Amino acid sequence: STVTTVHIQMYGCEHLLRLFVKLPLMLREAAVPTAQAQALQPRIAELLKFLEKNVEQYCVATYDPADLEYVEMVQRATAT
């Protein structure tokens, strides 16, 4: 039988928070105009405040670390 995993179960709030950390660099690399990038800042701040207030609902209390095989695969894929 095939087990279906919903993306939110695999990539939850913690991954979204990691995205926010990398977002400034990603926007620069994508050549997003400064004005547009700055327009995102208040919306991102609002979302982060929401997540902070509702952390118990959207983030897990205990985090299961990735197994070594997955970590090594990601490291190989992102090596430059």
Side-chain angles (χ1 to χ4, degrees), residues 35-76:
Q36 288 180 351
Q38 288 175 340
L40 289 173
Q41 290 178 347
R43 290 172 177 84
I44 292 170
E46 185 178 337
L47 180 55
L48 290 172
K49 286 178 187 176
F50 172 82
L51 289 173
E52 182 179 25
K53 289 179 183 177
N54 298 284
V55 68
E56 293 86 13
Q57 184 176 351
Y58 294 104
C59 295
V60 295
T62 57
Y63 187 77
D64 295 329
D67 61 31
L68 183 58
E69 180 182 354
Y70 177 78
V71 171
E72 289 172 345
M73 178 195 66
V74 170
Q75 288 173 342
R76 284 190 304 275

Side-chain angles (χ1 to χ4, degrees), residues 1-18:
S1 80
T2 303
V3 176
T4 303
T5 301
V6 179
H7 286 250
I8 192 67
Q9 293 172 317
M10 194 170 202
Y11 304 105
C13 181
E14 295 78 12
H15 282 82
L16 179 62
L17 293 173
R18 288 185 191 131

Side-chain angles (χ1 to χ4, degrees), residues 25-39:
L25 177 61
M26 293 169 65
L27 292 173
R28 280 193 300 275
E29 289 178 351
V32 173
T34 302
Q36 288 180 351
Q38 288 175 340

